[in-house]
Amino acid sequence: MGRTTPTYRDQLREVEEEWGEFRRPLRREDQFRFDDLFVYARNHADAAGNLNHPNPLAPVWMAIALEQEQRIAELETQVEALGNE
């Protein structure tokens, strides 16, 4: 028998399509940033699928927050290294 509920990846695709109306008028460089946010969400799709949250946007926001925290930590390490030179 088939699945009765869509997978998280299917839900994420639908969310991204829904937000297309928001993306379209953005400046080109912001469109690339917008696309990156959905890359972050796809990178954490396995964890989001395990969560099975009723609101598919909730794991999207958490994935974005995790990726941004990682980038902040990397930048802080680089700044600290530059300060120690």
Side-chain angles (χ1 to χ4, degrees):
M1 290 228 283
R3 294 182 70 106
T4 57
T5 58
T7 66
Y8 176 74
R9 291 178 196 278
D10 292 337
Q11 290 178 330
L12 181 58
R13 196 170 313 122
E14 289 176 18
V15 167
E16 190 170 5
E17 288 174 10
E18 288 174 18
W19 280 85
E21 294 295 321
F22 179 86
R23 180 190 183 277
R24 212 172 339 278
L26 293 174
R27 291 177 292 172
R28 192 154 200 54
E29 62 269 16
D30 289 338
Q31 287 180 355
F32 291 125
R33 290 182 184 114
F34 178 91
D35 294 343
D36 286 344
L37 298 179
F38 278 95
V39 169
Y40 298 162
R42 283 190 292 278
N43 287 346
H44 296 281
D46 291 338
N50 284 335
L51 177 62
N52 196 25
H53 198 280
N55 179 356
L57 274 176
V60 170
W61 304 137
M62 183 56 71
I64 290 168
L66 284 170
E67 290 286 337
Q68 290 180 343
E69 281 296 312
Q70 178 183 344
R71 293 191 63 188
I72 290 168
E74 290 170 359
L75 291 170
E76 287 173 339
T77 300
Q78 290 175 8
V79 168
E80 187 176 311
L82 289 171
N84 291 333
E85 288 182 353

